[in-house]
Amino acid sequence: MGIQGLWPFLRKRGYRAKIHNSPPQPSSSHSKIRVDVNSTFFPTINYAYSQNSNDQDAAHRILEDCIAQLGSKSDIILYVDGDQSLEKQKTQNHREATRQKSINQARQSILGLEQRLATRKRIRKHHIRRVWRLLKRAFYWQHQDRLTFIEYMTSKGWEIQLCPMEADISIAAECQPHDIVISRDSDLLVFRRIRQLWRPMGPSRRMWFLTYAKDDICSELEFTDQQLTALGIVCKNDYSPNIPMVGIEKSYKIIKAIDGDKDIEAMIAAYLSDDRVQFRNAAREEFANAIRVFAKLTQTPVRSTGPLPDNNDTTVTLRERMIGFLDKLMEQKRADRDARRKSRKERGPRQQFAQKYWHFRTIDVPDNTMSHNFRKRYSCKEQYESGIEHPPPEVMSEYKWRPPKKHANQSDPKEPEKLVEKERPKVRKRIHGVQKGRLLRELEWEHPTVTLDMGTLRANVSKVSSEDSSAELIISCVERAVREASKVKRKCQEILGRYLKAISDSEVTKEDRVILEYLCPHDDDGDDTVDCANNGD
C-alpha cells in the first residue's frame, strides 16, 4: 500500500512525474536497478501461481519473462520479501482477515452454484465472476514458493536475494545515489537514500513508468529530505496510523513550519506538540514503529507462535472445486441440447394449425373457409349509406331552446377598442464622435487577434519528435517564448494606457495625431479634425 494519498498529493502540489514507455537504463557502469518483486509483479504472481498450482516451473517462467523486460541480468538486482515483522503485524493481521473473509464468501458462492445446478435454476454470468474475484482476492504467495523461485532464478544467472523481512528495508540500506528503484509502493520514496523511484503502470508485459526524482520533489514542496521522511512517518502507512482528522495536507503545512535542519525524531516531537495535533491525539500515538523503519532502517522479527494458516491450499481446493462445477455445468448444457434435438426429430415437421374465428375482424374480409383473397391494404371499406336522417329520441323532445333573459339596465356588449400601435422613436444617427461597435470593428480590422485551434503544445511536439530529451527542450523553448511575448504585450498595454492618459490631460499636438492615426483610424462622418490634421492646424 505505501503512504496513503502521497501520489495525489504530489500532483496537487504541482509536481508532474515524467512518463517513460521503455524500461530504465543505468546512468553508469556502477549504478544498478533494484526491483521489489512482490510490489512490482504481484498481479503476475497471482495469475501465474494460481493457474499453475501443480506446475511451479511454468509459474516461474511466466514471472521470469516479465522481469526480463526490465533489462539485462547484469544491471538488475531482485529483492523478495521474507518473514513478517513486528512493526507491520497489525497490517498483516488485517490482510489475513480479509483473505479469510474472501475464502468463506467464495466457499458459500460455490455451494450456492452447486445447489442451482442441482435444482436446474438459471446460472448467470455474474455468479461465476464473483467466485473468481473472491479467489483472486484471497491469494497469498507462500514462503515455499518464494524459495523455489529464488533457486530457479539463481540457476538462470539472475542476482536475487531473499530479504530477512521487508524488501523495502534492504533496498533502502543498499541503494546508492545513482541507483534506480522500481516499485509500485510509495513508501520507498520516503527513505533518504533512495533518490529516484520508477513507478510501473499498466500490465506486466506492456509496462510504462512514472519517474519520481527526490531532488525535484523537495524543491517543489520546499522541503528537506528530513521533512519529507517526517511527512511519510506521520501519514497513514503500513506501520503506523495517522492522527484522526489530520490528513496529509494539514501534516504538510505543520511540518513545513518546523525547522528542516532538525533530526527526524525532533521533528516528530515538534509535530506532536502542535495545537492542531495535540488535542486530536486521544490515543497518544507516537509513531514509534514508523520511526524505527523509515529513520533507523530496522525491523523486529515476529516470534513464531505456531504454523501460519495455509490459505493457499484452501484457494487451490476451491479453484479445483469451481473447475469441476464448470465441467458439470457444460455437461448438463450439452445433455439438454441433445435432448432438445432428439425431441425435435421425433416430433417431425411442424404442423400448420387452422386459425381460430376472429369476431373482431374487418367487415369486408371474407370468411377463413373461403380462398384467401384479402382486401388490398389501402382499398376503401364498405360502409352504410350516408344522408339518411333519423328522428331524435323522445327524451330530446322535452328540451326546447329559449333565448337568455335581458335585464333593463343591461346594454348590448360593446366591441373591444382597437389597440393603436405607438410609433417607435427614431434612432438618431450620431454625427460627432465614433460609436462603440464601429470602433471595435475598426480596431479588429487594424489589429486582428485570432487564436488558432492547433491542439496542446506537448501533444503536437510528441507527434513530431519521438526522443524525450529533444521534446522537452522544444517545449521549454516555446514556453519561454510565449512568456516573453505575454510580458511584451502587457508592457505595451501599460505604455499605451499611460500615453492616452497623458493626451487626455494635455492638448493634442500634430505628432500625437500621427501616432493616433497609426493606432486607430479616425471617423470621417462630419468630423473636421481630419482636414485640420492634413493642413497642419
Side-chain angles (χ1 to χ4, degrees):
M1 182 186 73
I3 298 171
Q4 188 176 19
L6 183 58
W7 304 130
F9 169 75
L10 293 178
R11 289 197 302 269
K12 186 177 179 181
R13 286 293 168 180
Y15 181 78
R16 294 292 181 267
K18 296 181 180 179
I19 301 175
H20 291 271
N21 297 323
S22 58
Q25 298 294 334
S27 59
S28 62
S29 58
H30 301 288
S31 60
K32 295 289 184 179
I33 301 174
R34 305 181 186 273
V35 183
D36 185 0
V37 177
N38 294 64
S39 172
T40 306
F41 298 101
F42 183 77
T44 304
I45 294 170
N46 191 343
Y47 166 77
Y49 289 88
S50 298
Q51 299 292 334
N52 303 279
S53 57
N54 299 325
D55 188 4
Q56 287 191 347
D57 291 339
H60 296 338
R61 287 194 296 271
I62 293 173
L63 185 55
E64 182 190 7
D65 294 341
C66 295
I67 294 174
Q69 297 178 3
L70 300 179
S72 60
K73 300 178 181 179
S74 59
D75 298 332
I76 297 176
I77 303 177
L78 304 175
Y79 296 84
V80 181
D81 289 343
D83 297 331
Q84 298 181 359
S85 62
L86 184 64
E87 289 78 9
K88 203 176 180 179
Q89 187 68 30
K90 188 175 181 180
T91 303
Q92 290 166 348
N93 292 339
H94 174 71
R95 293 176 180 176
E96 184 63 32
T98 304
R99 286 193 290 267
Q100 192 63 38
K101 181 179 178 181
S102 301
I103 289 173
N104 296 334
Q105 291 177 353
R107 188 183 290 109
Q108 294 294 330
S109 299
I110 294 174
L111 180 61
L113 288 174
E114 292 174 348
Q115 292 176 356
R116 279 180 169 272
L117 183 64
T119 56
R120 288 186 170 275
K121 290 184 178 180
R122 188 165 186 175
I123 297 173
R124 299 284 184 179
K125 190 180 295 184
H126 66 85
H127 294 143
I128 300 174
R129 285 181 176 177
R130 172 179 169 80
V131 177
W132 293 122
R133 185 171 63 251
L134 291 171
L135 292 176
K136 183 178 179 181
R137 193 183 302 169
F139 174 78
Y140 178 73
W141 198 18
Q142 295 296 329
H143 189 76
Q144 186 62 32
D145 295 340
R146 301 180 193 184
L147 294 177
T148 55
F149 173 71
I150 291 173
E151 293 177 359
Y152 173 83
M153 296 295 284
T154 305
S155 63
K156 294 292 184 178
W158 292 90
E159 185 176 354
I160 185 172
Q161 55 177 307
L162 179 66
C163 303
M165 278 162 286
E166 293 290 327
D168 303 351
I169 305 299
S170 302
I171 293 174
E174 299 176 5
C175 187
Q176 301 299 322
H178 297 287
D179 291 350
I180 298 173
V181 178
I182 300 178
S183 177
R184 295 180 188 267
D185 293 340
S186 58
D187 52 0
L188 281 167
L189 195 61
V190 176
F191 291 98
R192 294 185 59 186
R193 300 192 63 175
I194 297 176
R195 312 305 302 175
Q196 198 170 9
L197 178 65
W198 285 52
R199 178 188 173 193
M201 305 294 291
S204 299
R205 295 188 180 275
R206 296 187 303 274
M207 280 187 179
W208 51 279
F209 301 89
L210 296 176
T211 60
Y212 295 86
K214 179 72 74 63
D215 297 335
D216 297 341
I217 292 173
C218 291
S219 62
E220 188 71 30
L221 300 178
E222 298 179 0
F223 259 19
T224 60
D225 291 347
Q226 293 89 340
Q227 287 177 321
L228 185 60
T229 305
L231 181 63
I233 290 172
V234 300
C235 294
K236 185 178 180 180
N237 49 61
D238 294 338
Y239 309 100
S240 298
N242 63 319
I243 304 298
M245 304 299 292
V246 182
I248 189 170
E249 286 284 349
K250 190 174 292 184
S251 300
Y252 164 73
K253 295 177 182 178
I254 296 172
I255 293 176
K256 189 175 181 179
I258 302 173
D259 186 9
D261 296 333
K262 294 182 178 179
D263 58 347
I264 296 175
E265 295 182 357
M267 285 187 183
I268 301 301
Y271 174 83
L272 293 173
S273 61
D274 192 273
D275 296 337
R276 291 168 286 182
V277 177
Q278 194 170 8
F279 80 96
R280 289 191 175 95
N281 191 10
R284 301 300 176 187
E285 179 64 42
E286 297 181 354
F287 308 106
N289 294 335
I291 291 173
R292 193 179 300 112
V293 172
F294 291 112
K296 300 180 181 180
L297 302 181
T298 57
Q299 283 183 325
T300 307
V302 178
R303 295 182 180 180
S304 178
T305 57
L308 295 173
D310 197 355
N311 291 334
N312 203 27
D313 291 344
T314 308
T315 54
V316 170
T317 305
L318 292 176
R319 188 177 292 274
E320 294 176 353
R321 185 176 169 184
M322 185 64 185
I323 293 173
F325 161 77
L326 292 176
D327 294 339
K328 292 180 182 179
L329 178 62
M330 294 305 297
E331 291 177 1
Q332 188 183 84
K333 287 185 176 295
R334 292 193 195 98
D336 294 343
R337 183 190 61 189
D338 295 341
R340 287 195 301 270
R341 290 179 178 177
K342 185 177 180 181
S343 62
R344 194 180 298 121
K345 289 180 180 180
E346 292 176 354
R347 188 170 62 243
R350 298 182 64 180
Q351 298 178 1
Q352 298 293 336
F353 297 99
Q355 297 181 358
K356 295 183 179 180
Y357 185 75
W358 184 32
H359 294 277
F360 304 99
R361 69 188 187 281
T362 311
I363 56 176
D364 58 344
V365 174
D367 193 0
N368 292 333
T369 57
M370 301 173 63
S371 60
H372 297 282
N373 295 325
F374 295 108
R375 172 181 59 84
K376 293 183 179 181
R377 185 174 183 182
Y378 297 105
S379 61
C380 298
K381 298 181 181 180
E382 296 179 2
Q383 298 179 357
Y384 291 104
E385 294 181 4
S386 60
I388 301 176
E389 295 183 0
H390 298 276
E394 297 180 358
V395 180
M396 297 300 296
S397 61
E398 300 178 2
Y399 301 97
K400 294 182 179 180
W401 181 82
R402 295 178 182 178
K405 294 182 180 180
K406 291 184 180 181
H407 296 283
N409 56 354
Q410 186 178 2
S411 60
D412 295 334
K414 296 181 180 180
E415 295 182 359
E417 297 180 358
K418 295 182 179 180
L419 297 177
V420 180
E421 296 183 358
K422 296 182 179 180
E423 295 182 358
R424 295 181 181 179
K426 296 182 180 180
V427 180
R428 296 182 179 179
K429 185 177 179 181
R430 295 185 60 183
I431 299 176
H432 300 285
V434 183
Q435 295 182 356
K436 184 177 180 181
R438 183 174 178 181
L439 177 61
L440 292 177
R441 288 192 296 271
E442 295 292 345
L443 285 173
E444 187 177 4
W445 175 262
E446 293 293 333
H447 308 283
T449 56
V450 180
T451 303
L452 300 180
D453 188 8
M454 299 174 61
T456 59
L457 176 62
R458 188 173 294 277
N460 293 334
V461 173
S462 61
K463 291 179 182 178
V464 177
S465 177
S466 58
E467 298 181 0
D468 296 337
S469 59
S470 61
E472 292 296 333
L473 290 176
I474 294 170
I475 292 170
S476 61
C477 180
V478 175
E479 287 178 349
R480 287 197 302 269
V482 170
R483 292 195 201 98
E484 292 297 329
S486 178
K487 291 179 182 179
V488 171
K489 177 183 174 182
R490 291 188 179 181
K491 292 294 183 183
C492 291
Q493 289 174 350
E494 292 178 3
I495 292 170
L496 289 176
R498 293 178 181 178
Y499 176 69
L500 294 175
K501 184 178 179 182
I503 290 176
S504 62
D505 295 340
S506 61
E507 296 182 356
V508 180
T509 62
K510 181 180 178 181
E511 295 179 354
D512 294 335
R513 293 182 184 277
V514 174
I515 295 172
L516 291 174
E517 178 69 22
Y518 283 114
L519 293 177
C520 177
H522 53 262
D523 188 11
D524 296 338
D525 296 339
D527 195 354
D528 298 335
T529 56
V530 180
D531 298 334
C532 296
N534 294 331
N535 296 331
D537 295 336

